[in-house]
Each structure stands twice: as structure tokens, then as C-alpha cells.
Amino acid sequence: MKFIVCENPHEFILKEKPMPEPKEGEVLLKIKRIGICGTDIHAYGGTQPYFEYPRILGHELAAEYIKGNAAGFEPGDKVTFIPYFNCGKCVACRNGLTNCCVNIKVFGVHIDGGMAEYVTIPEQYLLHGHGLDYDELALVEPLAIAAHGIRRANVGPNDTVLVMGAGPIGIGLIQFAKIAGAKVIVMDINEYRLNFCKEALNADETINPLHDDVSIKLAEITNGDMANVVIDATGNRNVMNNAFNYISHGGRFVLVGLQKGELSFSHPDFHKRESTLMSSRNATIEDFQYVMDCLKTGKIDPKKYITHRAPFTDMINEFEKWIDPKNNVIKALIEL
Ligand SMILES: NC(=O)c1ccc[n+]([C@@H]2O[C@H](COP(=O)([O-])OP(=O)(O)OC[C@H]3O[C@@H](n4cnc5c(N)ncnc54)[C@H](O)[C@@H]3O)[C@@H](O)[C@H]2O)c1
Ligand SMILES: [Zn+2]
Ligand SMILES: [Zn+2]
């Protein structure tokens, strides 16, 4: 079978190896779609911290169930799976927080992933598609990241949510905040993405820091209250540091985006607001199930932002185009 390995930064190679054989408790899947995400782009670009090469990337996956003994699955079923393999023993796992397992192995990040015609995985992570198609199933994982962030923030109808960063993760956050009934303000420096959020996702307001002072504009929009939920999906340290000033009194700040450095904020300002700061990592089965329900009931249509596609064997040629900002890629999918 064919697979694509990221041999070194900026180097994908198409190779062949024997079909994998599922061991006891594993299932064999035929990969049908691979979503490309920021993590893959950083791994390819050599900017993903602590990343080991060579590595087979790919963790946003839709597949056909080929063989195994997983209860409730038949050959030919459309499936996806939770790509966060957890140890089941650590303090986080014992408390049901499998998303932040001490010994987590993310498929396609810490261990070889899904840029391959076939993969085997432990059956416990498998999710039945129940009528969803392969495109939708490939988008479940990035949507689950966003659903987890909104659940962490406990967003409800009385909330004004500022989503900073309108990439695939931010786009998910906007949609789940809207479903929760909140007013949603989106901040990004990319005008194309801001327009998309207004037109396709019904975002209530947008702010472009290249045109407006964010604090002043946010105060105008909220009658001086500011946002009682601020969520970062930029992964930019300056954005995060500034955002402590965007939190309303009694508000919360959730870091979904990730950066390498330290954050700093004024403790008196943080204290007087009685602010809450939290991070949001990966997602749990509850988030995956919620996302799949939202897809089944049509509350979310992720096909609106699948902007680019390529067959598996053309992916290596297309990849440089997909990471070039001028091509306005939101979500690119590889098809098999
Ligand atoms: N919590 C998790 O487990 C998890 C999982 C996946 C991704 N992430 C992180 O979420 C973040 C977003 O991921 P993505 O795939 O949507 O990324 P992305 O790069 O596609 O989107 C980031 C967006 O932020 C905007 N942005 C960047 N700098 C900005 C600035 N100074 N001001 C305003 N906007 C700015 C960009 O224009 C872009 O639209 C990343 O940091 C990623 O590492 C976290
Ligand atoms: Zn991803
Ligand atoms: Zn664990």
C-alpha cells in the first residue's frame, strides 16, 4: 500500500509498504479523506516544537471499516475515530479527562498517522458515521476541538463571546457559540476570513486590528461591558497578552490556540475583574458525539469551508499551494 511520509521539514515522500494486519483489539481501516490542519503545516514547515522525523502525518480522518471485531461495525461502514490515544492509568485518565492524558499519543503527531491507504487503530477510539459522509467525517476532529473550547467556556445565551482567530478552529468556535445562543464577535487580520464569518456563519460583529483599535471597538460594540467570554484561536502570544484587557468583569478567557512562550498580564487588572483563565486541549468523546449530532441535524455545514481538494497521489504537489496565504485556503482535504 502507498503512504506519504514527512521525511524532514519541507520533504514529503510517497512510499510503499505491506498492508498492516490488525492485532487483537485493533481494526483495519481504508482511509478515504485526510484533512490538513495547522499542526501538519507546522510539522512540514519544521516549526512544530519537539516534532520527530520521519513521521506519517494526518489526524483528521474519515475511513471505511474493513475488518476487525468492533461491536456494531460492519465492513463497508463509514467511520472516523478519536486520534488521541490515552494511557487509561494517569491522573487525567482516572478523572475522565482523556484529552489531557499525561502520556497522550496523538495519531499523526506523536506516532505515525493517516496519510496512508490503510491504517490499524485500537477499536476503542472508533466512531460510527451513522449516515454522515466522508467529507463531514473528516471535519469531526477539528470541530470537536472547538466544541471542547466552547464547553470549557460554558457558553450560553447571555454571553458575548469574542473569538480571536478565524482559522478552521476559530470557525468551529464561532459556530458552536452561535448554537449555544451567544452573541459572537470575531477578530482577525484576514479580511477574507472575516467576511466569510459574517456572510456564511452569521457572526454578529467583526474586528480587524489592522483597521481598528480592538479595545475601543469592542467597548463600542458591547456598550462598555467588553466580552464575558474571550477565546484565543490565533496561537499568537501578543494577541493573548492584549486579550486580558478584553475580558469583562466576571469574565473568562479560554486559550484554545497554542504558542511557545510565556504570557504576562497585570495581576491587579486580572484580579479586579475576578477573571478566569483556562486552557482547552484536544476533546473528549462527549465533544465528538456532540459534533456528530450537530452535523446530523444540519446545525453545522462544514462543507462551506472545504476550499481545496486533491487526490492522495497529487497531495505532495498541491501542499506548497495550500500553505501559501494568497490562495485563501480554509480547509484542504486529500481524497482516496
Ligand atoms: N486546543 C487544541 O488542542 C488545539 C488543537 C488544534 C489547534 N490548536 C491551535 O489553535 C490555533 C488555531 O488553529 P487554526 O488551525 O485555526 O490556525 P490558523 O493559522 O488557520 O488560524 C489562525 C487565525 O488567526 C489569525 N491571526 C494570526 N495572528 C493574528 C493577529 N495578530 N491578530 C488577529 N488575528 C490573527 C490568522 O489570520 C488566522 O486566520 C493554533 O494555535 C493551533 O495550534 C489547538
Ligand atoms: Zn488538526
Ligand atoms: Zn492517561
Side-chain angles (χ1 to χ4, degrees):
M1 66 150 199
K2 294 186 176 64
F3 68 102
I4 293 173
V5 60
C6 188
E7 195 75 24
N8 290 296
H10 296 282
E11 188 185 15
F12 278 128
I13 306 180
L14 181 67
K15 291 188 173 176
E16 293 262 354
K17 65 177 176 183
M19 284 269 290
E21 233 343 276
K23 300 190 202 86
E24 181 71 27
E26 288 186 339
V27 295
L28 177 67
L29 306 178
K30 185 176 202 296
I31 299 294
K32 297 301 241 178
R33 298 284 186 282
I34 307 160
I36 300 299
C37 112
T39 307
D40 305 313
I41 294 169
H42 286 299
Y44 176 77
T47 52
Q48 181 79 359
Y50 313 116
F51 201 82
E52 287 170 20
Y53 302 86
R55 175 68 69 228
I56 302 173
L57 305 177
H59 59 276
E60 302 183 357
L61 301 163
E64 179 184 340
Y65 184 87
I66 302 293
K67 81 173 173 187
N69 295 314
F73 292 84
E74 297 282 338
D77 285 350
K78 295 181 170 68
V79 301
T80 184
F81 61 90
I82 301 174
Y84 324 126
F85 297 175
N86 68 299
C87 76
K89 297 186 183 110
C90 74
V91 58
C93 288
R94 292 199 308 275
N95 288 312
L97 303 174
T98 51
N99 59 310
C100 57
C101 167
V102 175
N103 306 303
I104 202 160
K105 296 271 180 272
V106 177
F107 190 77
V109 180
H110 307 111
I111 54 174
D112 281 342
M115 282 194 187
E117 288 180 302
Y118 294 88
V119 300
T120 54
I121 62 150
E123 64 183 27
Q124 72 193 88
Y125 300 105
L126 207 52
L127 298 167
H128 201 287
H130 291 302
L132 296 178
D133 66 27
Y134 288 130
D135 285 357
E136 291 166 323
L137 288 168
L139 280 135
V140 168
E141 190 271 347
L143 285 167
I145 301 275
H148 190 71
I150 294 298
R151 187 156 68 93
R152 290 279 286 147
N154 195 19
V155 173
N158 295 325
D159 288 321
T160 297
V161 180
L162 173 66
V163 174
M164 307 187 298
I169 301 295
I171 283 173
L173 290 163
I174 295 162
Q175 295 179 93
F176 292 117
K178 292 291 288 183
I179 292 171
K183 175 173 177 174
V184 180
I185 304 162
V186 186
M187 193 265 262
D188 201 297
I189 46 177
N190 180 325
E191 203 60 37
Y192 166 81
R193 286 186 170 181
L194 286 178
N195 277 334
F196 174 81
C197 294
K198 263 208 134 143
E199 280 159 26
L201 307 180
N202 230 357
D204 297 283
E205 302 278 354
T206 57
I207 303 176
N208 186 336
L210 299 179
H211 305 154
D212 284 302
D213 180 294
V214 181
S215 287
I216 294 173
K217 185 85 192 277
L218 187 62
E220 265 169 35
I221 294 169
T222 59
N223 295 322
D225 287 347
M226 310 305 270
N228 55 329
V229 177
V230 175
I231 310 183
D232 180 78
T234 65
N236 180 295
R237 179 154 76 134
N238 291 334
V239 171
M240 292 182 189
N241 280 337
N242 291 334
F244 285 92
N245 301 314
Y246 311 152
I247 313 170
S248 73
H249 279 239
R252 39 215 190 271
F253 184 13
V254 184
L255 305 177
V256 179
L258 207 61
Q259 54 88 30
K260 286 185 256 182
E262 291 171 2
L263 295 181
S264 72
F265 56 89
S266 150
H267 183 199
D269 287 342
F270 187 75
H271 191 88
K272 79 178 178 203
R273 293 176 166 91
E274 198 181 51
S275 316
T276 302
L277 174 63
M278 56 185 118
S279 60
S280 176
R281 186 177 187 198
N282 298 329
T284 65
I285 180 129
E286 290 83 358
D287 303 304
F288 279 81
Q289 283 165 345
Y290 172 69
V291 167
M292 293 174 87
D293 281 345
C294 287
L295 289 168
K296 273 180 240 160
T297 51
K299 287 185 187 143
I300 283 196
D301 175 12
K303 293 186 187 178
K304 287 196 270 202
Y305 52 90
I306 301 172
T307 50
H308 295 70
R309 290 172 183 274
F312 186 60
T313 44
D314 289 353
M315 187 285 270
I316 297 178
N317 292 328
E318 293 297 309
F319 204 80
E320 288 285 346
K321 286 181 221 157
W322 290 347
I323 61 180
D324 183 344
K326 78 170 186 297
N327 292 320
N328 287 330
V329 176
I330 299 180
K331 182 55 74 180
L333 287 189
I334 302 168
E335 296 182 328
L336 289 90

